Amino acid sequence: MENKLPTIKEIAKQLNISISTVSRALHDHPNIGIQTRMRVQELAKRLHYEPNQTAIFFQQGKTFTIGVILPELSEAFFSSAISGIEDAAQKANYTVLMGQSHDSADKEKQLIDTMKKHRVDGLLISISKNTTNYEHFEALQSYNIPIVYFDRIPKIPNIHYVACNMINGTVQAINFLFKKGHRIVGMINGPEKLPATKERLEGYIQAMTKSRLKYDPALVLNCDLTKESVCAATEKLLSGRRRPTAIVTFNDYVALDAVQQAQKMKFKINKDVCFVSYANLPMSNYTAFPPLASVEQFPYQQGQKATETLIELLQQKTGDEAETTNATFYKIILESQLVIHEGK
Amino acid sequence: MENKLPTIKEIAKQLNISISTVSRALHDHPNIGIQTRMRVQELAKRLHYEPNQTAIFFQQGKTFTIGVILPELSEAFFSSAISGIEDAAQKANYTVLMGQSHDSADKEKQLIDTMKKHRVDGLLISISKNTTNYEHFEALQSYNIPIVYFDRIPKIPNIHYVACNMINGTVQAINFLFKKGHRIVGMINGPEKLPATKERLEGYIQAMTKSRLKYDPALVLNCDLTKESVCAATEKLLSGRRRPTAIVTFNDYVALDAVQQAQKMKFKINKDVCFVSYANLPMSNYTAFPPLASVEQFPYQQGQKATETLIELLQQKTGDEAETTNATFYKIILESQLVIHEGK
DNA sequence: GATTTTCAGACAAACGTTTGCATAGAATTG
DNA sequence: CAATTCTATGCAAACGTTTGTCTGAAAATC
């Protein structure tokens, strides 16, 4: 009892007209007379006809699907971002094929393969923190599959990307601390190679020099975001010669671990030492000592913008076939913004 | 300069053999002589040939894609679940098309449509909390697209599902409280229609009767999981005639809000009143007053199991065409488990 | 050596849709 | 009324792959 789905062919046969007429009638092609058009559309409805998308994908050489590769959905940043992506994609009638790299370069490569196989029209990627080799990304270019990177951007020339400028936010954060009287401000930064890390550092330095304080490299430590390395960094900062009274951490998760470590060292949070961070997680409202302020990076908007950009690229592509000279690259920067929590 | 991707046809032409031979050679079909097979495979490699999956999907009437519809990725439960799904899918060479309903029944319906259009082979669904009408799900049955529900299961007969039995966990949770001396235990339960809510209630009643305590309905309140309703319920419980010294909450998020409300009412947490909940979120480690214990629901495993079940169904389908009498429905229940936090 | 079996490969249909081109008849024009 | 333009429709190719059936030749059988 294989309840075969009705096809355009079936409709044609029942109405004794040609396949092409049916196809055109369903697309409201002006060449088709109003009456046949109606007859077709009615029968289609009656049979619950639905076009076979796989056939269309195949025929058109497009899947109206965009692939998304990101490190880790359980991080609030990315789950927000994917919502922005989904929403923007849906608006343009695209579908999303998603995969998590779990910060493994291998998994990432594998995902790219899968996506390529599935013939996604384009890709949105936030690279894993362990990716050092960018060949597999570049290979895609030759397949003519456009990529828009977001948030975690690889260091390769001539790419499209959407990111959030952390410099300003960092300056804001540090100025905020200055205003509250802090003079020695430490920083627990991220993995050295991440651009995000460099930006935070740059913001830090800018803020320092603007305030005519000297930049003391001993006050800025890197960590690899694991709990151990965060604790180590915290310990080192708080037992150093110049003990900071405030610390800027790479993100809210880092802040949480740093706070715990500081407590373990018998420091009173918000008294002996304060924390400011990045991300602005909703859960911060519930933690024992949320950071006094947090730099918002607008993940939803980043996802949205990246998707819109990609779709624009896709539409461009179908437009000017020959004009491959179209070598402009989108570099979209959103501004971060400090959000102050301490009011409550 | 349209760098046309090479096709099987191209290979055939260059080697002066037929298309079918190439196809078979690439699949290591025994009918093809070893030498031609090699020649084909070598040329394929040299040209960087990759089969056009869209053509294959179309030709085979299968996409090797499974759709996943879930309420909200930003909930830790679901982001874990999707990881389990992804991993299990990948193992069987399936791809995942995901969409969030954001707990909207409309969005859910829309997603089902998209998935249907994309001809996913099967679906994994955790229904939105606002879904009351199950027609669109049932419609899929007639399209012969199998569905496996997980965690949030609709109340319709004859479905496949994977869920976690909350009854046992609830009993464990309440016994745990009894052992600690609590005699009046309240409960802030979820939305009335959710099966999950009913299970928790049943566990509550079972534990009560087993301990020869009377079940007092005034001690069990429902909420719709919004902050306001949680606070209202907490207030009512804590200012009721029989004031509980311990409260079991629907999940960790509810616990967080309830704790805040209790504090606002000047109760000392863990002294005047304790909390126990469900989910076992990692972030609980960082909150001011994490629940003393939490019932783990194994989201990753649920996702994994659901996916495996779906894939089994899919493989079955291709097997016994005629045997539609195969009316066995998978009802897979994982056991929940109480995890005690207070050690630390 | 004649017959059968095996082997290696070719042919062609099928999957469902879109779309450029052709065409028969109707309507319009002069 | 003949010539032209429109209108409504049909025909057939194309997209890339898989797969059932066919065939010619070589190998094995008796």
Side-chain angles (χ1 to χ4, degrees):
Chain A
M1 261 286 121
E2 274 297 315
N3 207 357
K4 279 273 190 224
L5 292 179
T7 70
I8 209 180
K9 198 190 260 176
E10 178 65 22
I11 296 181
K13 204 198 296 178
Q14 290 200 26
L15 257 42
N16 237 316
I17 57 182
S18 83
I19 292 178
S20 53
T21 302
V22 175
S23 173
R24 291 192 170 100
L26 289 171
H27 287 82
D28 281 322
H29 191 287
N31 272 16
I32 304 301
I34 181 75
Q35 35 189 357
T36 20
R37 204 186 310 175
M38 295 308 265
R39 288 204 311 149
V40 169
Q41 296 189 357
E42 256 159 44
L43 182 57
K45 192 162 290 175
R46 222 161 42 80
L47 296 181
H48 295 116
Y49 167 76
E50 303 214 27
N52 181 335
Q53 288 292 333
T54 64
I56 297 177
F57 292 162
F58 166 52
Q59 205 272 144
Q60 312 246 303
K62 291 188 61 182
T63 57
F64 293 95
T65 302
I66 64 188
V68 178
I69 300 178
L70 42 72
E72 192 61 55
L73 267 182
S74 59
E75 277 184 39
F77 180 92
F78 292 111
S79 64
S80 285
I82 195 96
S83 292
I85 292 171
E86 254 195 87
D87 291 351
Q90 206 213 332
K91 220 172 266 167
N93 266 310
Y94 275 79
T95 311
V96 170
L97 205 61
M98 195 229 29
Q100 303 179 62
S101 69
H102 296 297
D103 273 320
S104 141
D106 279 352
K107 186 82 199 287
E108 195 173 69
K109 204 163 165 181
Q110 205 176 95
L111 280 169
I112 288 190
D113 247 42
T114 311
M115 302 275 174
K116 198 168 61 185
K117 264 203 199 146
H118 269 251
R119 290 290 207 269
V120 296
D121 292 342
L123 274 170
L124 253 29
I125 303 182
S126 194
I127 66 170
S128 115
K129 73 180 171 203
N130 297 310
T131 303
T132 49
N133 184 330
Y134 303 128
E135 280 172 22
H136 42 302
F137 298 132
E138 282 161 339
L140 285 178
Q141 316 279 46
S142 62
Y143 279 94
N144 216 6
I145 300 178
I147 308 180
V148 174
Y149 297 91
F150 69 99
D151 190 55
R152 300 230 210 127
I153 320 289
K155 302 250 287 217
I156 38 182
N158 298 339
I159 57 172
H160 307 281
Y161 65 76
V162 174
C164 190
N165 175 15
M166 296 284 102
I167 298 179
N168 256 326
T170 307
V171 171
Q172 282 173 37
I174 293 179
N175 285 345
F176 163 78
L177 289 170
F178 282 157
K179 251 185 224 135
K180 293 184 69 80
H182 297 276
R183 285 298 167 267
I184 308 186
V185 175
M187 176 174 252
I188 301 179
N189 212 343
E192 207 161 351
K193 19 179 193 169
L194 247 54
T197 300
K198 301 209 177 88
E199 284 198 2
R200 283 162 170 79
L201 178 59
E202 174 154 354
Y204 180 90
I205 298 181
Q206 274 189 18
M208 284 300 167
T209 46
K210 257 187 218 146
S211 311
R212 312 222 186 130
L213 293 171
K214 208 172 62 191
Y215 159 52
D216 178 356
L219 288 177
V220 177
L221 298 179
N222 289 319
C223 76
D224 66 3
L225 308 183
T226 60
K227 183 159 192 158
E228 298 76 49
S229 75
V230 172
C231 289
T234 312
E235 185 167 7
K236 194 162 170 199
L237 272 182
L238 290 180
S239 50
R241 234 169 13 104
R242 292 185 69 203
R243 189 170 63 73
T245 60
I247 298 179
V248 179
T249 59
F250 184 79
N251 65 31
D252 285 340
Y253 298 106
V254 170
L256 291 173
D257 288 327
V259 164
Q260 277 196 345
Q261 175 63 24
Q263 285 184 298
K264 207 178 282 170
M265 295 169 74
K266 304 293 177 202
F267 288 102
K268 292 255 179 286
I269 309 302
N270 292 342
K271 213 165 151 232
D272 303 334
V273 59
C274 299
F275 289 87
V276 163
S277 84
Y278 299 79
N280 193 26
L281 296 182
M283 60 158 284
S284 293
N285 291 326
Y286 298 103
T287 56
F289 294 103
L292 293 185
S294 202
V295 178
E296 171 68 54
Q297 304 170 65
F298 303 106
Y300 183 93
Q301 284 81 350
Q302 276 194 55
Q304 209 177 21
K305 199 73 198 158
T307 309
E308 288 166 5
T309 307
L310 179 59
I311 290 175
E312 206 177 311
L313 282 169
L314 291 174
Q315 276 157 3
Q316 232 167 265
K317 208 174 86 180
T318 42
D320 45 12
E321 294 287 9
E323 203 183 328
T324 327
T325 339
N326 199 324
T328 43
F329 290 92
Y330 290 88
K331 295 178 191 319
I332 297 175
I333 310 286
L334 305 183
E335 277 307 323
S336 58
Q337 195 181 330
L338 189 72
V339 177
I340 296 170
H341 294 155
E342 53 164 358
K344 38 167 292 176
Chain B
M1 266 280 124
E2 274 297 314
N3 207 356
K4 279 273 188 225
L5 292 180
T7 70
I8 207 179
K9 197 190 261 175
E10 177 65 22
I11 297 181
K13 204 198 295 176
Q14 291 200 26
L15 257 42
N16 238 315
I17 57 181
S18 84
I19 293 178
S20 54
T21 303
V22 175
S23 173
R24 289 193 168 99
L26 290 171
H27 288 82
D28 282 321
H29 191 287
N31 272 16
I32 305 301
I34 182 75
Q35 36 189 355
T36 20
R37 206 187 306 175
M38 294 309 264
R39 288 206 309 149
V40 168
Q41 296 188 357
E42 256 159 44
L43 183 56
K45 192 162 290 173
R46 220 160 44 78
L47 297 180
H48 295 118
Y49 166 78
E50 303 212 29
N52 181 335
Q53 286 292 333
T54 64
I56 297 177
F57 293 161
F58 167 51
Q59 205 272 146
Q60 312 246 299
K62 291 188 61 182
T63 57
F64 293 95
T65 302
I66 64 187
V68 177
I69 299 179
L70 42 73
E72 192 60 57
L73 268 182
S74 60
E75 277 184 38
F77 181 91
F78 292 111
S79 65
S80 285
I82 195 96
S83 291
I85 292 172
E86 253 193 89
D87 291 351
Q90 206 212 332
K91 220 172 268 166
N93 266 309
Y94 276 78
T95 311
V96 170
L97 205 61
M98 196 228 28
Q100 303 180 62
S101 68
H102 294 295
D103 274 321
S104 141
D106 278 352
K107 186 80 200 287
E108 194 172 70
K109 204 162 165 179
Q110 206 175 95
L111 281 170
I112 287 190
D113 246 43
T114 310
M115 303 273 174
K116 199 167 59 188
K117 264 202 198 146
H118 268 250
R119 291 288 205 269
V120 296
D121 291 342
L123 274 169
L124 254 28
I125 303 183
S126 193
I127 65 171
S128 116
K129 72 180 174 204
N130 297 312
T131 302
T132 49
N133 184 330
Y134 303 128
E135 280 172 23
H136 42 301
F137 298 132
E138 282 161 339
L140 283 179
Q141 317 279 48
S142 62
Y143 280 94
N144 216 6
I145 300 178
I147 307 180
V148 174
Y149 297 92
F150 69 98
D151 190 55
R152 301 229 207 127
I153 319 289
K155 303 250 291 215
I156 37 182
N158 298 339
I159 57 172
H160 308 280
Y161 66 77
V162 173
C164 191
N165 175 15
M166 295 283 103
I167 298 180
N168 255 327
T170 307
V171 171
Q172 282 173 37
I174 293 178
N175 285 343
F176 164 77
L177 289 170
F178 282 157
K179 249 184 226 139
K180 293 185 67 83
H182 298 275
R183 284 301 167 265
I184 307 186
V185 175
M187 177 175 251
I188 301 179
N189 212 342
E192 207 160 352
K193 22 181 191 167
L194 246 54
T197 301
K198 301 212 175 85
E199 283 198 3
R200 283 163 172 77
L201 178 59
E202 174 154 355
Y204 180 90
I205 297 180
Q206 275 188 20
M208 286 298 169
T209 45
K210 257 188 218 146
S211 312
R212 313 227 183 126
L213 292 171
K214 209 172 61 191
Y215 160 52
D216 178 355
L219 287 177
V220 178
L221 298 179
N222 289 320
C223 76
D224 65 4
L225 308 183
T226 60
K227 182 161 192 155
E228 298 77 49
S229 75
V230 172
C231 290
T234 311
E235 184 167 6
K236 195 163 169 198
L237 271 183
L238 289 180
S239 51
R241 231 163 20 99
R242 291 184 69 203
R243 188 169 64 73
T245 60
I247 297 180
V248 179
T249 60
F250 185 79
N251 65 31
D252 285 339
Y253 298 106
V254 170
L256 291 173
D257 289 327
V259 164
Q260 278 196 344
Q261 175 64 24
Q263 285 184 298
K264 207 180 282 170
M265 294 170 73
K266 306 291 177 202
F267 287 101
K268 293 254 180 285
I269 309 301
N270 291 342
K271 212 165 152 231
D272 302 333
V273 58
C274 298
F275 289 86
V276 163
S277 83
Y278 299 79
N280 193 26
L281 296 182
M283 60 160 283
S284 293
N285 290 326
Y286 297 104
T287 56
F289 294 103
L292 292 185
S294 201
V295 178
E296 171 67 54
Q297 303 169 67
F298 304 104
Y300 182 93
Q301 285 81 351
Q302 276 195 54
Q304 209 176 22
K305 200 74 197 156
T307 308
E308 287 166 5
T309 307
L310 179 59
I311 290 174
E312 205 176 313
L313 282 168
L314 290 175
Q315 276 156 4
Q316 231 168 265
K317 209 174 85 181
T318 43
D320 44 14
E321 294 287 8
E323 202 182 329
T324 327
T325 339
N326 199 325
T328 42
F329 291 92
Y330 289 88
K331 296 177 191 318
I332 296 175
I333 310 286
L334 305 183
E335 277 306 324
S336 58
Q337 195 180 328
L338 189 72
V339 177
I340 296 170
H341 295 155
E342 54 166 356
K344 39 168 290 175

